[in-house]
C-alpha cells in the first residue's frame, strides 16, 4: 500500500515537472503547435518514471554516501527510461546532443521533484509537530 501511495505522489510531482520542462523546451523551439499525442506521452512517461521512483526511491538511505549512490543509480535509471521513451515518442534522436538534452531534462525534473517533495514533506512534518505541541500543551494544562 505504501508503494502505491508513493507512486501516486511521485506521479503528480514528476508529471508536473515533465510538463514544465516540455513547456520550456516547446517555448524555445520553432514549433507552432504541440503534437496531439504529446500529452498522453507525458502521462505515460510520468507513470513509468513514477513507478521506477517508487521502487528505487533513495529516501531510505542511512548515510549520505548511500543516499548519493542511490540518487546516482536512480537518476541513471530515469535517464535510460526517458531516453528510450523519448526516442520512441520522437522527442529526441540518438545522437550526443539529443541524449545530453534528455539527461539535462531529466535532471531538471529530478531537481523539481526533489525540492517539491522536500517542501511538502517539511510542511507536513511542521504541521504534525505543531499539532502534537498543541495537544500535549492542552493535556498539561488540564
Amino acid at each position: 500500500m505504501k508503494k502505491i501511495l508513493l507512486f501516486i505522489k511521485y506521479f503528480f510531482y514528476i508529471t508536473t515537472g515533465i510538463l514544465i520542462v516540455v513547456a520550456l523546451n516547446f517555448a524555445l523551439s520553432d514549433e507552432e503547435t504541440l503534437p496531439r499525442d504529446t500529452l498522453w506521452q507525458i502521462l505515460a512517461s510520468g507513470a513509468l518514471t513514477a513507478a521506477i521512483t517508487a521502487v528505487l526511491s533513495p529516501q531510505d538511505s542511512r548515510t549520505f554516501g548511500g543516499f548519493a549512490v542511490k540518487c546516482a543509480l536512480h537518476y541513471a535509471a530515469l535517464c535510460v527510461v526517458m531516453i528510450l521513451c523519448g526516442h520512441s515518442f520522437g522527442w529526441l534522436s540518438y545522437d550526443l546532443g539529443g541524449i545530453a538534452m534528455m539527461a539535462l531534462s531529466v535532471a531538471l525534473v529530478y531537481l523539481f521533484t526533489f525540492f517539491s517533495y522536500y517542501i511538502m514533506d517539511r510542511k507536513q512534518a511542521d504541521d504534525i509537530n505543531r499539532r502534537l505541541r498543541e495537544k500535549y500543551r492542552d493535556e498539561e494544562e488540564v
Side-chain angles (χ1 to χ4, degrees):
M1 184 66 170
K2 183 179 178 183
K3 293 286 184 189
I4 292 171
L5 293 175
L6 273 177
F7 169 80
I8 293 168
K9 193 177 205 180
Y10 284 128
F11 175 75
F12 286 108
Y13 287 130
I14 291 169
T15 304
T16 302
I18 292 171
L19 281 170
I20 291 169
V21 169
V22 168
L24 289 172
N25 286 338
F26 191 72
L28 297 173
S29 74
D30 297 335
E31 299 283 328
E32 291 290 324
T33 60
L34 191 64
R36 173 182 284 185
D37 293 335
T38 302
L39 295 176
W40 290 109
Q41 294 166 349
I42 290 169
L43 290 172
S45 61
L48 280 171
T49 53
I52 289 169
T53 301
V55 172
L56 297 178
S57 179
Q59 66 186 3
D60 296 336
S61 299
R62 304 216 187 284
T63 64
F64 180 76
F67 177 76
V69 168
K70 285 185 177 183
C71 281
L73 292 173
H74 179 232
Y75 173 74
L78 294 176
C79 282
V80 168
V81 167
M82 286 306 297
I83 288 168
L84 294 173
C85 283
H87 181 70
S88 67
F89 295 154
W91 293 352
L92 75 121
S93 58
Y94 276 135
D95 61 2
L96 186 59
I99 291 172
M101 185 56 104
M102 184 57 77
L104 177 63
S105 296
V106 170
L108 291 173
V109 172
Y110 200 94
L111 290 173
F112 171 82
T113 303
F114 180 81
F115 285 117
S116 298
Y117 192 82
Y118 175 79
I119 289 167
M120 295 303 287
D121 274 3
R122 180 69 186 242
K123 182 178 176 349
Q124 186 178 20
D126 289 344
D127 288 344
I128 291 169
N129 286 334
R130 181 183 47 78
R131 284 189 220 135
L132 286 172
R133 280 191 301 272
E134 289 171 359
K135 177 183 177 185
Y136 287 112
R137 188 176 323 132
D138 290 342
E139 288 179 5
E140 288 175 0
E141 292 174 359
V142 172

